[in-house]
Amino acid sequence: MANDIKALVFDMDGVLLDTESMSDKTWAMAAKDFNVTVTEEDLNKCRGSNKSDIIMILKGIYGNEFDAENFLCATGKYFHELEFSSGIPLMHYAKEILEYLKPKYHLALASSTSGPTVERQLRNAGLIDFFEKRITGDMVLHSKPDPEIYTMACSSINVAPANCLAIEDSPNGIRSASAAGMKVIMVPDRIKPTAELEKLCWKILPSLEDLRSVL
């Protein structure tokens, strides 16, 4: 089936950039400010979603009166402090695998993060020039698990979803790409594969380096 693949569409957070470990720290810091408890389950519900969807999730957890917007502002402030003081680490083998894939396939990005943030973080990481197109959370009405962002990413590079492979780490991202009609490879980060995710994935690989063995 790898012979059918003409393009790869990457998620960013937890796939290319190790933003998830930083986000977990900043959410814990904001939770302390807002006097709430954030569990691993709560964090996992929000991974791969855009701001509007996360606000709905937070209100579902803490109640409609919870100031979810200011909570997210606090996490963003703390994240920026960490980003600008120490930078965002690359995931293992991120740049090397993009260098390997770029001559062979169309490459695009589908990230629920906002466009300016994606551009800044990819540029600072030295990865921005690998991607022909970047579809970001502020370009879609509904974030992952809705298929809109992946459908748009495939359309932007003029490749049918059936010939595009998504590289994802989160359940919402995997559901999104699968619903768009794409083959999906999961490279787990914070969340381990479940029986549901195994059914949705073409392959589950330990690291980005292992993409070489199938592509």
Side-chain angles (χ1 to χ4, degrees):
M1 282 202 297
N3 291 337
D4 298 333
I5 302 300
K6 306 286 188 253
L8 280 79
V9 184
F10 280 81
D11 177 41
M12 183 179 78
D13 297 307
V15 173
L16 298 172
L17 302 183
D18 188 14
T19 50
E20 299 292 356
S21 59
M22 289 175 62
S23 291
D24 291 357
K25 291 177 187 174
T26 63
W27 277 57
M29 294 161 76
K32 190 173 180 181
D33 292 345
F34 282 72
N35 198 30
V36 295
T37 300
V38 176
T39 66
E40 185 71 17
E41 182 182 0
D42 297 335
L43 287 166
N44 289 344
K45 285 178 184 176
C46 296
R47 296 191 202 279
S49 296
N50 67 8
K51 181 179 177 180
S52 60
D53 286 348
I54 292 173
I55 286 172
M56 286 196 301
I57 293 167
L58 289 174
K59 286 185 177 291
I61 295 169
Y62 301 116
N64 284 329
E65 300 306 310
F66 182 69
D67 193 352
E69 188 138 359
N70 275 329
F71 179 88
L72 285 185
C73 285
T75 66
K77 177 176 75 76
Y78 287 130
F79 191 97
H80 288 154
E81 289 173 1
L82 284 176
E83 178 184 347
F84 292 117
S85 64
S86 55
I88 302 174
L90 287 174
M91 297 297 285
H92 171 67
Y93 214 72
K95 190 166 190 179
E96 293 87 346
I97 199 62
L98 292 173
E99 288 171 342
Y100 167 76
L101 294 169
K102 179 70 172 172
K104 299 160 66 90
Y105 301 97
H106 296 285
L107 299 182
L109 190 91
S111 172
S112 297
T113 302
S114 69
T117 300
V118 166
E119 181 171 353
R120 182 185 73 248
Q121 292 177 353
L122 286 180
R123 194 174 299 282
N124 289 342
L127 302 183
I128 196 164
D129 291 334
F130 287 105
F131 299 103
E132 295 174 32
K133 298 291 182 180
R134 302 184 302 274
I135 308 302
T136 54
D138 46 359
M139 297 170 67
V140 296
L141 288 175
H142 302 289
S143 68
K144 307 168 185 178
D146 191 279
E148 182 182 5
I149 195 166
Y150 273 109
T151 300
M152 189 180 292
C154 295
S155 178
S156 74
I157 52 175
N158 298 310
V159 180
N163 300 118
C164 289
L165 178 62
I167 312 299
E168 269 286 354
D169 69 305
S170 73
N172 280 345
I174 290 164
R175 293 175 190 127
S176 171
S178 178
M182 302 170 69
K183 297 181 180 71
V184 186
I185 288 182
M186 181 184 191
V187 182
D189 180 27
R190 314 298 280 184
I191 302 172
K192 304 310 174 191
T194 62
E196 177 214 355
L197 299 179
E198 287 175 358
K199 289 178 183 176
L200 296 177
C201 290
W202 177 49
K203 292 187 181 295
I204 298 172
L205 300 176
S207 76
L208 291 174
E209 190 171 6
D210 295 288
L211 286 171
R212 280 180 172 268
S213 66
V214 296
L215 295 171

